[in-house]
Amino acid sequence: MSFNLKQIEGHEPLVDYPWRLEIDRLLLWLQNKDSHVKAFCFDVVMSAAYIDATSGIEKSIEQCDAIIGKYNSHIEFINLCAPCYVNKQVWSYQKAVKPQSGVLGKLSSEMILRFVEKLHLQLIEVLAVGGVEFIDAVLKHKNGMVILAEVKSAPLLTYPFLFDIPKTCLKGNHESIVITNSQLRACDSAMYLHNCGVIDLGKVGEPMWPFRTLIDFIVNKENAAFINNCINDWLSTRDAYSRKDRQNKMYYLANASGHPPLIAKERDGWPQKESISDGKTSAGMDRTDDIKKGIYQALKIGTQVKDLSHVKTAIISNLPAYRHGKEYVVPFLSMLWGLENDLEILEAV
């Protein structure tokens, strides 16, 4: 297959999303922050992107009496009701809501590319490609190097959203509410940060909801202590996820936590065949299928650009393969790839 770098067509990451400038405000604030702070913020804005891209969210909101404060209903991105679990230690099943897989893949890929574009100032251009091309992104470095990349990204934590729904729309604890979209737009909302509390987000119908108010809160110096607590909670979740530490309460709030413990079924009536979240939601590039495809694509790209010394290949992700990296990634790190035709036989002196 012939290859021409100039023929690759791409676009600026998130160019199709009106809230991208709100993300840029966050990325400006993140410029000099540690990598784990950036990773936490990726999860926060991906949670906002999830709810923005999910149609008909009013049909998936449930009342929950375990919510503390003025809010009375919520929506989840895993099958576990977080307020019941955090506040009452009860395993309440609530069906997760997410955008369709095609929309989700585009969102997570372009979000991490926006992070890369704005946080790595040595890059002069970042293009999201995708579609029918055999690469996901093109990164151009100021030194002339071009990086052709495969993108594999997914959040570690997806944070629930809370709502203050009129009492006339409530039908009982863990029952779906009955509300129209226009009614929901008039309701107050918040993001639920598990052990740390909530970030109030204002009315659902406000401009650039939920991004503008969310990012206003994060970058406000007065909220630094609250955000630091959230980051520490995220770090605890990362450790629990990496070690598969089921004794850590945060383990089951992370993606790819599998099935709940036996007590959930015996005491709290958890559905027999349902998981909280399966391996398909593994954080970062931790899905084994993604690792395999990513390595293959890096090699495939390499066969097309082998004569172009300024072109490199890469796999881009928001997080490394914490669970599967040792088995599927580390063995390849010290390997030098090459073509048989480039080998030279050296005679012993």
Side-chain angles (χ1 to χ4, degrees):
M1 183 175 70
S2 61
F3 177 82
N4 189 334
L5 187 60
K6 294 181 180 179
Q7 292 180 348
I8 297 177
E9 296 183 358
H11 58 269
E12 182 185 4
L14 297 182
V15 69
D16 296 329
Y17 300 93
W19 39 261
R20 65 186 180 280
L21 297 181
E22 303 301 325
I23 301 299
D24 288 352
R25 290 198 297 121
L26 174 66
L27 295 176
L28 181 63
W29 177 79
L30 281 171
Q31 282 290 342
N32 298 313
K33 300 293 191 295
D34 292 335
S35 59
H36 65 272
V37 180
K38 297 170 183 174
F40 159 75
C41 286
F42 176 85
D43 284 7
V44 170
V45 293
M46 275 306 300
S47 300
Y50 275 19
I51 200 164
D52 177 73
T54 302
S55 60
I57 61 170
E58 67 276 4
K59 300 174 184 177
S60 300
I61 299 173
E62 289 188 8
Q63 179 181 339
C64 177
D65 295 343
I67 298 173
I68 298 173
K70 73 173 186 178
Y71 301 101
N72 53 28
S73 304
H74 71 130
I75 199 167
E76 290 281 352
F77 302 116
I78 59 174
N79 289 331
L80 176 65
C81 172
C84 282
Y85 177 69
V86 171
N87 298 327
K88 292 189 174 182
Q89 294 75 54
V90 172
W91 303 86
S92 296
Y93 176 82
Q94 180 170 340
K95 186 173 178 57
V97 176
K98 286 185 181 179
Q100 294 181 348
S101 58
V103 175
L104 188 56
K106 174 179 167 63
L107 260 178
S108 60
S109 177
E110 295 205 17
M111 185 70 79
I112 192 61
L113 288 176
R114 193 76 174 190
F115 270 59
V116 170
E117 178 187 25
K118 299 299 180 180
L119 295 177
H120 296 271
L121 302 181
Q122 67 272 37
L123 297 174
I124 59 174
E125 186 177 29
V126 174
L127 295 176
V129 182
V132 297
E133 299 288 352
F134 66 97
I135 58 174
D136 292 330
V138 179
L139 286 66
K140 298 180 181 179
H141 197 281
K142 64 182 181 182
N143 66 6
M145 180 174 60
V146 176
I147 302 170
L148 306 181
E150 178 83 359
V151 180
K152 302 295 180 187
S153 61
L156 170 69
L157 275 171
T158 44
Y159 295 99
F161 281 78
L162 310 180
F163 304 93
D164 182 17
I165 301 297
K167 292 182 180 179
T168 55
C169 299
L170 301 177
K171 300 300 176 183
N173 189 39
H174 277 286
E175 295 292 337
S176 296
I177 65 169
V178 178
I179 194 171
T180 65
N181 180 266
S182 59
Q183 286 176 312
L184 179 62
R185 290 173 61 83
C187 294
D188 285 328
S189 63
M191 179 178 281
Y192 183 59
L193 280 295
H194 301 129
N195 300 306
C196 301
V198 305
I199 297 176
D200 294 320
L201 299 175
K203 307 290 185 186
V204 174
E206 291 178 355
M208 295 299 166
W209 180 89
F211 296 93
R212 181 167 294 166
T213 311
L214 175 63
I215 292 165
D216 282 346
F217 184 94
I218 294 173
V219 303
N220 189 333
K221 293 180 180 180
E222 295 181 359
N223 301 320
F226 178 92
I227 294 299
N228 284 336
N229 286 338
C230 296
I231 292 169
N232 289 332
D233 216 34
W234 185 92
L235 287 170
S236 176
T237 308
R238 185 191 67 179
D239 291 343
Y241 171 90
S242 303
R243 301 172 184 173
K244 291 190 175 181
D245 180 9
R246 292 172 174 80
Q247 300 305 310
N248 185 327
K249 189 176 182 179
M250 295 302 297
Y251 173 84
Y252 290 104
L253 294 171
N255 284 312
S257 63
H259 290 267
L262 189 59
I263 190 175
K265 299 175 182 178
E266 294 182 343
R267 187 192 67 187
D268 297 332
W270 186 275
Q272 288 293 324
K273 296 182 179 181
E274 296 289 347
S275 65
I276 297 175
S277 55
D278 59 27
K280 294 179 181 180
T281 64
S282 295
M285 58 175 288
D286 216 4
R287 280 187 67 187
T288 54
D289 285 352
D290 283 348
I291 297 172
K292 294 173 186 177
K293 183 184 176 186
I295 292 173
Y296 170 77
Q297 285 296 102
L299 289 172
K300 181 180 179 181
I301 295 168
T303 65
Q304 302 299 316
V305 299
K306 59 183 183 294
D307 297 323
L308 303 175
S309 61
H310 70 292
V311 179
K312 310 298 180 184
T313 64
I315 303 174
I316 295 175
S317 183
N318 58 306
L319 292 172
Y322 284 122
R323 290 180 179 173
H324 300 107
K326 184 176 181 181
E327 181 179 0
Y328 287 89
V329 179
V330 172
F332 294 91
L333 295 180
S334 59
M335 296 185 72
L336 180 64
W337 301 100
L339 299 174
E340 185 176 8
N341 293 339
D342 295 332
L343 295 176
E344 294 183 8
I345 299 176
L346 300 178
E347 295 183 1
V349 178

